[in-house]
């Protein structure tokens, strides 16, 4: 039972010192700087961050770990423990700018990254341990199997870098797969000028709905009730084909071959056709 709970919470504690040190080095901590750590666990990474001078807001969900962490909090003035779910953070009372440094629980890593990268004004830098596969998806270039909506979602606001592949043996207990340390640095402005962000990401989502289908087939399902009368129906393949061709995008391409600037071209061309822009 206890083992099943540990697995469910992604409790693979990092014990290899060189990776703990590398994470802290990549986070480039200035003494006194505010850091959010998600998934404190037994505090291994927290101690390294404290040694670097960080002021830490650490979130941990597991009740069983809380008594030892409360003791740690009493001993370290710069460590504040928050007992709760990272997917449900209450930002009231937290600094309005912090670095995010974490060995993320794998089950919720993509959800946490998707949620927190939208708050780019709060998090200028993230250094994260994730499952290698997630790291590869975040840092993928167009054309490959790893490239997809997560790549484009995060890449819109952050420069992404996979810094280090980490083998299972660095953790206790070891996970079944490799991990990776990634560094996400906020862009000064979004990667591309998309006009309507909401529309841009809806196009991406629809474009990748079935990876093997063409843009023409996938974008048919883009259900835009807001389209003007003249373009009332993109589910009509001929209307959609004409639209994509006049935007300069070959309708027979697959989404995975399009760069962010090409999705932006589609979004900017579609925006004037919307009733409620
Ligand atoms: N930071 C520690 C380390 O590096 O050894 C622990 C990392 S371990 C991979 C992930 C931690 O996140 C576990 O302690 C787990 O209980 C916690 N956790 C899992 N889901 C969580 C959630 N939704 N919110 C907050 N913490 C969570």
């Amino acid at each position: 039972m206890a083992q099943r709970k540990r697995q469910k919470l992604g409790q693979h504690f990092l014990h290899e010192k060189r990776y703990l040190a590398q994470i802290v080095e990549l986070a480039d901590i200035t003494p006194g700087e505010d850091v959010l750590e998600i998934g404190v666990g037994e505090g291994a990474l927290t101690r390294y961050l404290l040694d670097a001078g960080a002021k830490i807001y650490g979130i941990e969900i597991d009740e069983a770990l809380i008594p030892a962490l409360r003791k740690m909090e009493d001993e370290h003035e710069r460590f504040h423990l928050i007992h709760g779910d990272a997917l449900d953070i209450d930002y009231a009372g937290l600094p309005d700018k912090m670095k995010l440094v974490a060995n993320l629980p794998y089950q919720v890593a993509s959800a946490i990254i998707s949620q927190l990268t939208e708050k780019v004004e709060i998090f200028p830098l993230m250094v994260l341990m994730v499952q290698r596969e997630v790291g590869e998806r975040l840092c993928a270039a167009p054309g490959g199997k790893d490239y997809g909506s997560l790549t484009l979602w995060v890449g819109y606001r952050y420069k992404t870098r996979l810094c280090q592949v980490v083998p299972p043996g660095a953790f206790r207990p070891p996970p079944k797969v490799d991990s990776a340390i990634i560094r996400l640095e906020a862009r000064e402005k979004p990667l591309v000028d998309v006009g309507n962000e909401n529309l841009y990401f809806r196009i991406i989502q629809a474009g990748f709905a079935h990876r093997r289908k063409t843009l023409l087939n996938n974008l048919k399902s883009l259900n835009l009730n807001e389209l003007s009368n003249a373009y009332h129906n993109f589910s009509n393949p001929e209307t959609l084909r004409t639209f994509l061709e006049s935007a300069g995008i070959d309708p027979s391409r697959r989404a995975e071959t399009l760069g962010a600037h090409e999705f932006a071209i589609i979004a900017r061309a579609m925006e004037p056709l919307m009733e409620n822009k």
Side-chain angles (χ1 to χ4, degrees):
M1 185 62 189
Q3 196 192 346
R4 203 159 351 123
K5 184 179 128 195
R6 278 203 302 272
Q7 269 173 10
K8 196 169 146 241
L9 293 176
Q11 290 185 349
H12 300 285
F13 299 131
L14 182 59
H15 70 88
E16 268 220 26
K17 294 191 172 66
R18 66 179 153 140
Y19 299 123
L20 288 160
Q22 191 177 0
I23 291 173
V24 175
E25 196 184 312
L26 285 165
D28 201 12
I29 306 285
T30 312
E33 193 164 43
D34 292 318
V35 167
L36 181 70
E37 186 193 357
I38 291 180
V40 180
E42 294 175 337
L45 181 57
T46 321
R47 287 186 182 84
Y48 271 71
L49 288 165
L50 282 168
D51 286 348
K55 183 170 176 190
I56 301 152
Y57 299 84
I59 308 182
E60 176 54 59
I61 201 169
D62 187 359
E63 182 92 55
L65 297 169
I66 298 302
L69 292 176
R70 286 278 174 230
K71 190 156 172 277
M72 190 170 152
E73 187 181 34
D74 290 342
E75 288 163 5
H76 295 90
E77 208 187 314
R78 284 182 283 109
F79 175 47
H80 305 277
L81 178 66
I82 302 158
H83 178 201
D85 186 338
L87 285 166
D88 204 14
I89 301 174
D90 179 5
Y91 285 90
L94 287 176
D96 51 17
K97 223 179 229 329
M98 321 172 255
K99 288 179 177 170
L100 175 66
V101 184
N103 172 14
L104 288 177
Y106 292 166
Q107 287 79 348
V108 284
S110 300
I112 288 173
I113 291 171
S114 299
Q115 209 179 81
L116 300 199
T117 51
E118 203 177 0
K119 301 184 184 305
V120 64
E121 67 295 343
I122 301 183
F123 300 108
L125 185 77
M126 303 186 180
V127 180
L128 307 171
M129 179 81 80
V130 293
Q131 207 172 311
R132 179 179 182 169
E133 182 216 312
V134 173
E136 286 173 345
R137 277 165 57 200
L138 287 170
C139 303
K145 68 171 176 40
D146 297 319
Y147 180 73
S149 47
L150 185 67
T151 324
L152 286 154
W153 172 257
V154 175
Y156 180 66
R157 299 182 178 89
Y158 285 84
K159 289 183 228 162
T160 60
R161 180 153 68 94
L162 194 155
C163 307
Q164 177 75 50
V165 171
V166 180
F171 302 86
R172 263 193 223 111
K176 291 201 173 69
V177 293
D178 280 343
S179 301
I181 302 172
I182 57 167
R183 190 174 193 272
L184 311 181
E185 190 184 334
R187 296 181 186 280
E188 277 174 23
K189 60 183 179 57
L191 174 62
V192 280
D193 173 14
V194 299
N196 181 331
E197 282 183 6
N198 188 22
L199 177 62
Y200 171 71
F201 288 113
R202 281 169 75 187
I203 293 168
I204 289 171
Q205 205 122 54
F208 282 99
H210 304 279
R211 291 190 74 95
R212 304 208 56 78
K213 287 192 180 174
T214 62
L215 271 183
L216 186 63
N217 274 318
N218 271 334
L219 294 191
K220 276 192 299 195
S221 64
L222 188 64
N223 188 5
L224 294 172
N225 297 328
E226 314 92 293
L227 277 183
S228 69
N229 282 339
Y231 278 88
H232 66 281
N233 205 347
F234 272 156
S235 62
N236 175 343
E238 284 322 306
T239 314
L240 182 55
R241 182 192 300 282
T242 309
F243 164 77
L244 286 170
E245 282 173 352
S246 60
I249 305 288
D250 177 350
S252 67
R253 287 173 66 186
R254 291 200 194 126
E256 67 192 33
T257 69
L258 269 71
H261 66 288
E262 291 174 301
F263 282 108
I265 288 172
I266 301 177
R268 287 200 307 268
M270 211 176 273
E271 193 184 355
L273 313 178
M274 312 285 279
E275 304 271 24
N276 311 306
K277 283 179 238 172

